[in-house]
Amino acid sequence: MTVAEETEVTLAVGQHKELPAVPDDASGRQPEQEMHAILEIGVRSRPGPQHTGAPAPGTGPALAEVLIVDTSRSMLHPAAKLHAAKDATVAAVRMLPDGTAFAVLSGRFDATLVHPGPGRPVLAVAGPAEREAAARAVRILDADGGTALGTWLDLARRLLKDHPAPVKHVLLLTDGRNEHDHRAAMALDTALDACEGRFVCDAWGIGDDWDAELLLRITRRLHGRAHAVRAESELTSAYEELMAGLLGTAVPELRIRLTPTPGTVIRQVKQVVPAEQDLPAVPAGSGGRAVEYVTRAWGDEVRHFQVVLTADPAGRETDEDLQLAAVEVVLPGFGRPVRLPAPQPVLVRWTDNPRDASRQHPGVRRHERYQQAGAAVARAYRAWLRGPDGSAMADRALTHALALADELGDAQLRDALRRIEATPGTGRIRPGLKDVDWQHLILSSALTTPPARTAGGGAYRAGAGDASGTPGDGSGVPADGAPAARGAAPGSPRRAADGRPGNGGEGPPDGDGNVRPGPGLPAPRAGGADGSAGDEAAVPPGSAASARPTAGAPANPGATTPVPPGTAARVSPGSGVPVRPGVDGRVSPEAGGSVPPGVGVPVRPGGGAPASHTPDGFLPPEADDRPSPEAETPVPAGTGVAPSVLPGGPGAPDGSRAPAVPALAVRADGLVECPRCRWLGPAESVYCGGACGRRLREASE
């Protein structure tokens, strides 16, 4: 196995920027406010050389693998469990490409090295002879003794600790519970402390007596995933699928680097999709205020992360975008070309409007619903354990969990819940359940999914409910779950239709081979007031278009304004129909007034009647927010359509684009200076990284 050489990483930041600037109580004290943001990070490998079983010249093996087989006495009851474990382990070993370091362990009260045997190197190196020798050693395994998982993991740690492979992985299988932990040479908690950050561990359950919480406890600490099979015969194909994913690993590690502005505190960073997982923080190599959060072993996939920041609005300007932190994705010490996204800001807009300040980003709300669903499953299980005395409580908890699964639109969770429901729609627990049925449900409730993609290609509508135009979480990822190919995600390199860079070119790889945008690249164009891309197209004669909302007075959601021939309007070409207003329902105070000649009028993209939100805040699949190509045509005087008042948008009497923020002069040392707080930073900075956090220039300069 070799790591893919053509890899691109994308980053999108979704948030509602408004936070209250007024005191929460009569005392006049203003506590620090929490800003929640959802980061969507995607990794996509472009087609490259096929795996041939040997590493690419000069790269070396990317994977070191340890397979742990539970050989406690319970694996013989029934014996089909042990047979299935042997078959699956042999199948996994035979998939290892030549040159891959590996070992097989047997787990009982302690751990034993099955292959390579005594006197051999610490890890075997895969080749035809080694794979067959390992298969023979696995085939003769017998079962006896108890279960002490801490000793199993500690031996895996000692085997892997000095190996240079960038991806170190442990595959653990057990049929029981950690019942002999108190007698073990190393307790599980101690082993997890020693192993965290050293390798990734996937844990599997087999049979009828495994413990879901135990598997989750291990995988949450060791950045893996917990799985189980309902029938022993399923294990071999499950192992083969998992190994195929490992062999397709794109990057061994990504780090989320957060650099807060003065006065901002990082409270939490955690993964929320595909499962909740706290991330370890490490000091950033650049020093200063930056902190990095480690994520492990990426294939071609998309993950979501929640960032919680706090800040004090005292002394800050209101109704202006201010930067709380800069978000960057970094890849330390990899040494192979990977295209990394441009840094993105986490912003705040302090406001005295309680309606604006009360909104919540859909991604944050979605994760809260998953937490509630998991808690409901746990309540139902605890009540079921009480027997008849807990049946009513178990039914209520199941009903609650089913309602949450429906609200989330999560078919996997809904199907898992219905496996324990007596009759669909009743919300009653099925008689005759076994404990293992609940263990499977607990694992299922720990998995999370992004919302269904909209027709515009986003998981959440870009800037949903956000008058600032901040990209919504998921805005850059198409329906197939892979990161968008060309210019879809904020911060990803823009490309022309022929695939060539369309953003001014790329800079050379850094010391680790990571490709970043070249100097002088324009940042992604700022979105519209409703979060749209702000593209423009001419409207046919006599068509009607709704002016795009910005900050200001309440709007009539159904109001439309006839647009004379030649008007420039930001709609899908040829739609000519009203479009939905911004979620905050506000437009410019000038709406309905006359427009000087030559002004381009921005209108919400995507034709159709005004759309409504689904209960969880996401748009239906038919909603299309895809931008249309730009085209501007002067508007005759007196049309009654409000000009754009967005920073940097069209609005000058002569129809030109006048930036709302003056351009800053670049000093001789290549830096720019914030006129407010005198912070010095890179010339391409859009926001001040100092105390004020204000906008320095337009993103489109």
Side-chain angles (χ1 to χ4, degrees):
M1 169 205 168
T2 59
V3 175
E5 297 185 20
E6 293 289 335
T7 303
E8 181 177 12
V9 181
T10 59
L11 167 66
V13 179
Q15 60 172 135
H16 279 315
K17 296 185 297 190
E18 290 85 357
L19 286 180
V22 296
D24 285 343
D25 54 40
S27 69
R29 293 191 305 270
Q30 175 61 65
E32 288 188 332
Q33 301 289 344
E34 283 192 351
M35 171 57 70
H36 294 252
I38 296 292
L39 313 181
E40 183 176 90
I41 299 176
V43 172
R44 184 192 58 215
S45 300
R46 294 175 184 157
Q50 298 296 315
H51 295 301
T52 60
T59 62
L63 175 68
E65 178 71 21
V66 174
L67 299 110
I68 304 178
V69 184
D70 186 338
T71 54
S72 61
R73 185 180 297 110
S74 60
M75 287 289 285
L76 295 174
H77 305 285
K81 289 188 291 187
L82 184 60
H83 294 315
K86 293 179 182 181
D87 290 344
T89 302
V90 169
V93 167
R94 286 178 171 159
M95 290 182 67
L96 297 175
D98 289 354
T100 303
F102 77 101
V104 181
L105 308 185
S106 167
R108 301 181 182 178
F109 287 120
D110 54 11
T112 304
L113 188 59
V114 175
H115 185 85
R120 300 289 302 278
V122 174
L123 290 175
V125 178
E130 285 294 333
R131 287 191 289 266
E132 288 308 310
R136 289 194 298 271
V138 169
R139 291 294 186 197
I140 62 174
L141 283 175
D142 200 0
D144 197 12
T147 304
L149 275 65
T151 60
W152 308 0
L153 291 171
D154 185 59
L155 178 55
R157 177 190 63 81
R158 287 184 276 127
L159 291 170
L160 291 169
K161 69 175 183 176
D162 295 324
H163 200 276
V167 179
K168 300 177 183 180
H169 183 263
V170 172
L171 178 52
L172 182 153
L173 174 73
T174 182
D175 77 326
R177 301 164 189 263
N178 197 34
E179 55 190 2
H180 297 106
D181 192 59
H182 63 287
R183 295 171 50 187
M186 177 172 285
L188 179 58
D189 284 338
T190 305
L192 291 175
D193 290 339
C195 295
E196 187 171 10
R198 304 298 182 91
F199 55 80
V200 173
C201 178
D202 287 331
W204 284 73
I206 188 173
D208 292 337
D209 197 33
W210 50 273
D211 182 356
E213 289 297 339
L214 174 64
L215 301 186
L216 291 170
R217 179 178 159 202
I218 293 170
T219 54
R220 283 170 176 163
R221 288 289 300 277
L222 303 182
H223 297 265
R225 300 183 187 180
H227 313 263
V229 291
R230 294 182 179 274
E232 288 83 359
S233 59
E234 300 172 357
L235 188 63
T236 295
S237 61
Y239 265 35
E240 289 174 340
E241 182 178 353
L242 184 145
M243 291 302 301
L246 279 173
L247 298 178
T249 297
V251 290
E253 175 183 304
L254 287 176
R255 296 188 179 190
I256 301 169
R257 178 180 293 169
L258 288 178
T259 306
T261 56
T264 300
V265 178
I266 304 171
R267 296 298 182 188
Q268 187 180 42
V269 178
K270 63 180 178 180
Q271 178 182 289
V272 294
V273 174
E276 182 174 331
Q277 190 171 81
D278 288 330
L279 302 182
V282 296
S286 59
R289 295 188 303 272
V291 181
E292 293 179 354
Y293 295 84
V294 182
T295 70
R296 308 284 185 185
W298 287 71
D300 281 18
E301 59 181 308
V302 176
R303 302 182 195 173
H304 294 186
F305 303 87
Q306 183 174 358
V307 173
V308 182
L309 308 172
T310 58
D312 185 351
R316 301 296 184 98
E317 298 182 40
T318 59
D319 299 321
E320 179 180 342
D321 285 356
L322 304 176
Q323 178 169 291
L324 289 178
V327 182
E328 190 175 2
V329 180
V330 296
L331 180 59
F334 190 42
R336 295 180 180 132
V338 175
R339 188 185 304 277
L340 295 175
Q344 299 283 322
V346 177
L347 303 176
V348 66
R349 180 181 293 167
W350 300 109
T351 179
D352 56 4
N353 185 326
R355 183 171 181 271
D356 289 347
S358 65
R359 291 184 312 216
Q360 188 181 45
H361 186 269
V364 176
R365 181 167 59 251
R366 185 174 180 84
H367 179 55
E368 289 179 354
R369 297 294 187 271
Y370 271 114
Q371 290 179 317
Q372 294 166 6
V377 168
R379 288 198 306 275
Y381 176 50
R382 289 195 299 269
W384 177 82
L385 290 173
R386 293 167 50 194
D389 292 343
S391 60
M393 182 179 294
D395 290 345
R396 287 194 298 271
L398 174 62
T399 300
H400 186 204
L402 281 163
L404 289 166
D406 287 339
E407 181 181 344
L408 289 164
D410 190 327
Q412 179 270 141
L413 178 57
R414 187 187 303 116
D415 291 346
L417 288 164
R418 286 178 176 167
R419 281 179 173 266
I420 69 166
E421 189 181 20
T423 304
T426 62
R428 295 183 177 276
I429 303 295
R430 175 167 58 86
L433 285 177
K434 297 179 180 179
D435 190 86
V436 70
D437 297 318
W438 288 98
Q439 302 307 317
H440 281 286
L441 177 58
I442 291 169
L443 283 191
S444 295
S445 66
L447 298 175
T448 56
T449 63
R453 306 291 176 184
T454 66
Y460 314 105
R461 179 172 64 79
D466 189 349
S468 65
T470 299
D473 180 51
S475 59
V477 182
D480 62 3
R486 286 195 279 270
S492 63
R494 292 172 176 254
R495 292 179 172 271
D498 61 359
R500 294 176 298 176
N503 60 357
E506 301 163 359
D510 59 21
D512 294 330
N514 305 325
V515 179
R516 292 197 180 279
L521 282 181
R525 179 175 175 177
D530 55 1
S532 65
D535 297 285
E536 300 175 1
V539 178
S543 62
S546 299
R548 181 173 60 184
T550 58
N556 176 2
T560 62
T561 306
V563 181
T567 300
R570 296 182 181 176
V571 295
S572 298
S575 63
V577 293
V579 294
R580 87 181 152 239
V583 178
D584 61 357
R586 299 183 298 169
V587 297
S588 157
E590 295 88 355
S594 61
V595 181
V599 176
V601 182
V603 182
R604 179 67 178 268
S612 60
H613 287 275
T614 54
D616 59 358
F618 309 112
L619 295 177
E622 63 270 15
D624 191 347
D625 281 342
R626 288 175 291 187
S628 56
E630 290 196 359
E632 290 186 7
T633 308
V635 180
T639 59
V641 184
S644 169
V645 293
L646 294 175
D654 60 356
S656 64
R657 291 180 176 269
V661 182
L664 297 178
V666 179
R667 300 172 8 144
D669 57 5
L671 303 178
V672 293
E673 181 177 2
C674 174
R676 178 64 58 85
C677 68
R678 304 303 178 188
W679 171 82
L680 294 175
E684 63 270 19
S685 300
V686 177
Y687 287 90
C688 172
C692 71
R694 64 181 296 154
R695 185 188 289 270
L696 299 178
R697 66 178 178 87
E698 297 309 314
S700 58
E701 285 183 13

